[in-house]
Amino acid sequence: MREYKMRRGEHLEERIPDLEATVEEYFGPITETEEYNGSDLFVVSEPDNPVFERIVAGAVSYSGKKDTLAVEFEERDPTELSPDDLEAAGEAVSAKNDFLLEATGRDAKSRRESLKREVEDDETPDVA
């Protein structure tokens, strides 16, 4: 599961007031919920796009912090996809990126840079 922060000064509920409807709009009908870090996330067990096997998305609340967006995109093995399904791969990438941009206000490049900074901040130097 990957968690995404919003841009400084922005909140998830302001960017997407109805997260459930937005998840359904991008990926298909929600079939159940799943608990993650004390929050219920939406599960799309049969996404509209055949490239996806399952999608889990929702807001995760932390005490004293802004909500983050938790998302997990489970994709099918490309060798199992038909030629028609493979054509949907571009649409799958666009759906993921458009959803994350709408939710976080950050494009793919900005999200990658943010993740790199988090990894660098987590590294503690070995001092012998």
Side-chain angles (χ1 to χ4, degrees):
M1 186 79 56
R2 204 175 248 171
E3 292 188 36
Y4 296 91
K5 296 178 183 177
M6 304 312 111
R7 288 191 307 198
R8 185 181 308 271
E10 293 187 353
H11 299 273
L12 181 59
E13 62 273 4
E14 293 169 354
R15 295 197 60 79
I16 300 182
D18 188 351
L19 185 58
E20 182 176 6
T22 303
V23 169
E24 288 185 328
E25 177 184 324
Y26 277 97
F27 305 113
I30 292 169
T31 53
E32 61 185 300
T33 60
E34 184 176 291
E35 193 272 331
Y36 173 77
N37 282 357
S39 298
D40 286 332
L41 306 183
F42 304 114
V43 178
V44 179
S45 297
E46 297 179 20
D48 293 340
N49 190 305
V51 172
F52 298 120
E53 189 166 329
R54 183 173 183 262
I55 297 168
V56 181
V60 179
S61 299
Y62 292 103
S63 176
K65 290 184 176 179
K66 291 195 306 187
D67 290 356
T68 62
L69 175 71
V71 182
E72 183 171 54
F73 296 103
E74 293 178 21
E75 297 181 6
R76 297 187 195 288
D77 183 343
T79 60
E80 297 174 0
L81 297 174
S82 71
D84 290 339
D85 291 347
L86 282 173
E87 289 181 20
E91 293 173 18
V93 171
S94 292
K96 280 196 302 191
N97 284 329
D98 292 348
F99 173 73
L100 291 170
L101 175 62
E102 183 176 344
T104 66
R106 296 177 173 191
D107 62 10
K109 181 180 177 185
S110 174
R111 290 191 308 269
R112 272 192 305 277
E113 289 172 0
S114 178
L115 287 173
K116 283 180 187 175
R117 280 193 303 275
E118 284 181 23
V119 169
E120 290 170 357
D121 291 345
D122 288 346
E123 292 177 2
T124 54
D126 291 334
V127 180

